[in-house]
Amino acid sequence: MKARITVTLKTGILDPQGKAIEGALRSLAIPGVESVRQGKVFDIELSDAAAASAEQTLKDACEKLLANTVVENYRIELL
Amino acid sequence: MKARITVTLKTGILDPQGKAIEGALRSLAIPGVESVRQGKVFDIELSDAAAASAEQTLKDACEKLLANTVVENYRIELL
């Protein structure tokens, strides 16, 4: 089975990378962009044996490795 | 209005970062992970004036800056 994990910065946390992209879009004359925030996405393929406990497995993966929960939120979607 | 752009590597393109994450998850004893591929996500806030042509604006942004269309796919979601 497949899952997608999206990791984004929490509201209020400064995002210099997003700010840089915002500036770049402006200098490319892309109109109407007010703000950009960048995050990460992980497409994970799980073995069928792990499907039953997939949600818990992925939560562990996020807490231990994929997200820094001090400054980032994560969202798990099972596909 | 808000939009989310997801940029992922095309199928068949090697993803060393994903491979590294896969290895790290294995060494953390997270069970059942078969493969990981990493991508990027951009949360974009557009001005109301730009809403009418949002789809085209974001397509331009992807083609010109956010995605390398030789090796990456992008998906635009208007929220």
Side-chain angles (χ1 to χ4, degrees), chain A residues 25-42:
Chain A
L25 287 174
R26 214 158 280 150
S27 70
L28 284 169
I30 306 280
V33 175
E34 290 197 332
S35 83
V36 180
R37 287 177 80 76
Q38 192 181 352
K40 287 169 282 186
V41 64
F42 303 95

Side-chain angles (χ1 to χ4, degrees), chain A residues 3-18:
Chain A
R4 168 164 282 189
I5 293 171
T6 312
V7 175
T8 49
L9 281 172
K10 288 185 178 170
T11 321
I13 303 290
L14 206 68
D15 179 8
Q17 199 172 1

Side-chain angles (χ1 to χ4, degrees), chain B residues 30-55:
Chain B
I30 306 280
V33 175
E34 290 195 334
S35 82
V36 179
R37 286 177 81 75
Q38 192 182 349
K40 287 168 283 187
V41 63
F42 302 95
D43 287 320
I44 298 184
E45 180 92 42
L46 289 166
S47 66
D48 291 335
S53 56
E55 190 96 27

Side-chain angles (χ1 to χ4, degrees), chain A residues 20-79:
Chain A
I21 295 166
E22 214 179 295
L25 287 174
R26 214 158 280 150
S27 70
L28 284 169
I30 306 280
V33 175
E34 290 197 332
S35 83
V36 180
R37 287 177 80 76
Q38 192 181 352
K40 287 169 282 186
V41 64
F42 303 95
D43 287 320
I44 298 184
E45 181 92 41
L46 289 166
S47 67
D48 292 336
S53 55
E55 189 96 28
Q56 189 55 46
T57 301
L58 294 171
K59 203 159 169 273
D60 283 353
C62 288
E63 301 277 344
K64 288 186 186 165
L65 183 73
L66 301 178
N68 174 357
T69 52
V70 178
V71 292
E72 290 171 328
N73 292 320
Y74 61 85
R75 199 160 68 94
I76 297 169
E77 290 162 278
L78 300 174
L79 310 175

